[in-house]
């Protein structure tokens, strides 16, 4: 269940770094601050320049702080699915309490027992996700604390990823002056957040088309069963337009946004628009159909690669079909093209939050919502990975501060001003309208 308080999500994407500050009141998520800064130092979803990434994070954080009127201290950050591995795990311990009542420490110990495994030196355990517990043979228990038992077992999932990726994410967040509350597996957050209970149970495919890569995830039996990353995304569509039409990357991006369509049948060959071509003094006329064919070719390739891996595991037979999201998924005609290629029902997921009704924000909203809904049992099990024993509520309360201080900053590109002082009786929630009016300034 969602907690009460404030949570901050951070999504480090190829084209932009996004930060969302959300306040939970009676299990209702209210977004009160958003930051969106152009990414530099990230290629195909992977950090390649730490300093530039740090600066992008700081810019996005500053924007979110200004909108929300708080100082951000810690974040839940998304971890991409690159080379992600999901394995089943199982642990068993004897309850060592004299009263045989299962405690927090027993949950930590059984999670530690489940983590006894050989991990290659280049990989690292990101987190562990308890599925169920068994007490003295009684199965299907979600929270064993307070129960009486002699033998405690835990069944769960353990997520491992490349040490390099995890280290670089942690390094950038820390250099930006923040601490990490939670490292969230992005496709796990997506499938848990944007799918209905039935879609998670019976099986659904989520395809996240970002700027630098496309992530395919399969959820079935309410578990993340499979992930695949294709190092192609919306930027490759733009590069194709730039190359074929011999125009600059910025012009190509504008053409994609203003005139682009991924389904040529929806376009007209008689509708033309001017294109500034390198080496020519006058713009060249290009028709909508030709531009759509360029876009279609790349999107067909992206979807084709996803279809190949999905066919190998027979995932396209799942009743939930395909859910598309991500910035590049908002391009007109993408859903029609995907339906034709996957030959199953396809729909586009768009966030339903004021000012953020664009698939480009799906990841960061999912990260913050997923982390806010993590229960105490998960936190106890995760402490077996991190070694921390901080109470979940204490970590959440440390995420933000009502006062903003700017003594130390390395961001020089933008001038920043504190929010005007608010009347004592005015809450964060009262100021939401004012913040959203300038959310993308």
């Amino acid at each position: 269940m969602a907690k009460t308080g404030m949570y901050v999500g951070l999504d480090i994407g190829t084209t932009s770094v996004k930060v969302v500050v959300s306040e939970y009141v009676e299990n209702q998520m209210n977004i009160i601050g958003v930051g969106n800064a152009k990414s530099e130092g990230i290629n195909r979803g992977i950090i390649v320049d730490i300093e530039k990434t740090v600066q992008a994070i700081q810019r996005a954080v500053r924007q979110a702080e200004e909108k929300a009127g708080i100082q951000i201290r810690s974040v839940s950050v998304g971890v991409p699915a690159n080379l992600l591995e999901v394995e089943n795990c199982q642990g068993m311990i004897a309850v060592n309490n004299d009263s045989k009542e299962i405690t927090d420490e027993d949950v930590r110990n059984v999670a530690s027992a489940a983590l006894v495994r050989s991990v290659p030196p280049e990989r690292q355990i990101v987190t562990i996700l308890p599925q169920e517990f068994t007490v003295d043979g009684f199965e299907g228990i979600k929270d064993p604390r307070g129960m009486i038992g002699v033998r405690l077992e835990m069944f769960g999932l353990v997520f491992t990823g490349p040490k390099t990726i995890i280290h670089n994410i942690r390094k950038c967040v820390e250099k930006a002056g923040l601490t990490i509350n939670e490292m969230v597996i992005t496709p796990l957050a997506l499938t848990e957040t944007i799918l209905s209970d039935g879609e998670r149970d019976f099986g659904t495919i989520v395809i996240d088309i970002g700027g630098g890569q496309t992530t395919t995830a399969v959820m079935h039996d309410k578990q993340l069963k499979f992930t695949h990353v294709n190092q192609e995304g919306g930027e490759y569509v733009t590069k194709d337009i730039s190359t074929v039409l011999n125009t600059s990357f910025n012009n190509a991006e504008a053409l994609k946004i203003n005139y682009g369509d991924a389904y040529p049948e929806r376009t007209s060959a008689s509708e033309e628009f001017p294109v500034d071509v390198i080496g020519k003094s006058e713009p060249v006329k290009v028709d909508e159909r030709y531009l759509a064919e360029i876009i279609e070719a790349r999107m067909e390739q992206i979807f084709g690669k996803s279809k190949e891996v999905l066919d190998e595991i027979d995932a396209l037979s799942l009743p939930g079909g395909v859910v598309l999201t991500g910035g590049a998924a908002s391009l007109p005609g993408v859903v029609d093209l995907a339906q034709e290629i996957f030959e199953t029902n396809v729909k586009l997921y768009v966030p339903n939050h004021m000012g953020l009704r664009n698939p480009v924000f799906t990841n960061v909203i999912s990260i913050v919502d997923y982390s806010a809904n993590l229960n105490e049992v998960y936190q106890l099990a995760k402490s077996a990975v991190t070694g921390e024993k901080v109470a979940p509520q204490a970590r959440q309360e440390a995420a933000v501060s009502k006062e903003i201080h700017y003594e130390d900053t390395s961001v020089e590109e933008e001038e920043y001003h504190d929010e005007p002082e608010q009347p004592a009786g005015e809450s964060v929630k009262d100021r939401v309208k004012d913040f959203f009016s300038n959310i993308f300034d």
Side-chain angles (χ1 to χ4, degrees):
M1 67 180 174
K3 302 179 180 68
T4 298
M6 287 193 188
Y7 296 82
V8 183
L10 170 63
D11 176 36
I12 305 174
T14 302
T15 54
S16 65
V17 173
K18 291 167 282 291
V19 174
V20 159
V21 181
S22 65
E23 182 183 30
Y24 282 79
V25 179
E26 297 179 354
N27 291 346
Q28 179 65 42
M29 178 185 185
N30 302 309
I31 295 177
I32 62 172
V34 176
N36 188 11
K38 180 176 173 55
S39 289
E40 294 179 355
I42 302 161
N43 184 29
R44 299 183 179 184
I46 305 300
I47 296 169
V48 295
D49 189 314
I50 287 178
E51 289 303 322
K52 287 184 177 179
T53 304
V54 167
Q55 292 173 10
I57 292 172
Q58 289 175 326
R59 288 195 297 270
V61 166
R62 283 178 171 278
Q63 289 179 24
E65 287 178 331
E66 187 176 31
K67 305 292 193 306
I70 60 170
Q71 182 182 21
I72 296 172
R73 297 179 180 274
S74 60
V75 296
S76 295
V77 60
V79 178
N82 301 66
L83 301 177
L84 177 72
E85 291 183 4
V86 187
E87 300 176 41
N88 292 313
C89 64
Q90 177 182 356
M92 182 178 68
I93 63 166
V95 179
N96 57 18
N97 192 313
D98 290 339
S99 67
K100 299 304 178 185
E101 183 173 306
I102 297 168
T103 64
D104 289 359
E105 193 61 31
D106 292 315
V107 174
R108 289 192 189 96
N109 291 339
V110 76
S112 296
L115 289 171
V116 176
R117 60 184 55 240
S118 176
V119 180
E122 72 278 5
R123 299 189 67 78
Q124 180 177 338
I125 295 174
V126 182
T127 193
I128 183 172
L129 192 64
Q131 298 293 305
E132 68 173 36
F133 295 85
T134 299
V135 178
D136 292 347
F138 293 97
E139 303 175 346
I141 297 169
K142 297 301 181 184
D143 185 352
R145 294 175 299 167
M147 296 181 180
I148 296 290
V150 175
R151 187 179 73 249
L152 176 64
E153 295 178 80
M154 189 194 84
F155 300 86
L157 300 173
V158 61
F159 297 84
T160 64
K163 272 187 178 178
T164 301
I165 291 177
I166 297 167
H167 169 80
N168 288 350
I169 291 173
R170 190 176 293 278
K171 185 77 172 178
C172 288
V173 174
E174 290 173 353
K175 288 196 72 173
L178 304 166
T179 58
I180 297 176
N181 271 345
E182 197 71 46
M183 295 196 82
V184 178
I185 309 294
T186 303
L188 178 61
L190 274 177
T191 51
E192 287 282 354
T193 302
I194 74 175
L195 300 181
S196 68
D197 189 66
E199 288 172 330
R200 293 195 302 272
D201 190 7
F202 288 95
T204 305
I205 299 158
V206 175
I207 300 179
D208 173 27
I209 314 172
Q213 61 184 27
T214 298
T215 303
T216 302
V218 179
M219 175 69 88
H220 186 227
D221 289 335
K222 298 186 178 180
Q223 294 181 15
L224 181 64
K225 297 289 189 180
F226 172 83
T227 62
H228 174 265
V229 175
N230 171 21
Q231 300 292 348
E232 295 174 278
E235 276 196 348
Y236 283 74
V237 175
T238 306
K239 288 176 182 177
D240 289 346
I241 296 171
S242 174
T243 301
V244 174
L245 299 184
N246 200 24
T247 189
S248 69
F249 185 87
N250 289 339
N251 285 342
E253 181 70 15
L255 291 172
K256 181 180 75 173
I257 293 171
N258 296 327
Y259 305 103
D261 197 301
Y263 205 63
E265 286 79 357
R266 292 158 38 106
T267 61
S268 170
S270 60
E271 293 291 332
E272 296 183 330
F273 47 85
V275 177
D276 292 327
V277 175
I278 294 172
K280 295 193 175 183
S281 56
E282 296 293 329
V284 173
K285 293 286 186 180
V286 174
D287 64 79
E288 283 184 353
R289 177 66 58 87
Y290 187 48
L291 177 63
E293 288 171 351
I294 298 171
I295 296 171
E296 180 193 39
R298 176 61 68 173
M299 294 306 300
E300 270 189 345
Q301 183 168 310
I302 291 172
F303 287 142
K305 289 183 178 179
S306 293
K307 187 176 188 301
E308 284 179 15
V309 297
L310 291 171
D311 283 338
E312 289 176 5
I313 58 174
D314 197 28
L316 288 169
S317 62
L318 294 173
V322 175
V323 177
L324 299 178
T325 194
S330 60
L331 193 65
V334 166
V335 173
D336 296 315
L337 180 62
Q339 192 133 8
E340 187 175 280
I341 292 172
F342 293 117
E343 298 179 326
T344 187
N345 55 305
V346 178
K347 66 179 181 180
L348 174 66
Y349 177 83
V350 180
N352 193 32
H353 296 276
M354 187 191 307
L356 301 179
R357 293 186 177 98
N358 189 312
V360 74
F361 292 104
T362 304
N363 273 349
V364 69
I365 293 172
S366 296
I367 289 167
V368 73
D369 195 44
Y370 177 82
S371 60
N373 282 280
L374 291 171
N375 57 34
E376 289 186 7
V377 171
Y378 165 81
Q379 299 289 358
L380 291 168
K382 190 194 72 170
S383 68
V385 178
T386 62
E388 298 177 355
K389 294 188 179 181
V390 179
Q393 184 63 24
R395 291 174 62 86
Q396 178 266 321
E397 289 173 351
V400 299
S401 171
K402 296 295 183 181
E403 296 181 0
I404 306 179
H405 304 284
Y406 299 102
E407 289 91 353
D408 181 24
T409 177
S410 59
V411 180
E412 299 176 355
E413 291 89 343
E414 299 176 3
E415 186 177 356
Y416 190 81
H417 302 284
D418 288 356
E419 286 289 326
E421 188 174 345
Q422 301 294 329
E426 190 174 17
S427 68
V428 173
K429 196 173 179 183
D430 295 329
R431 306 201 302 273
V432 172
K433 278 188 179 180
D434 294 335
F435 299 141
F436 274 120
S437 65
N438 297 307
I439 200 165
F440 294 112
D441 288 351

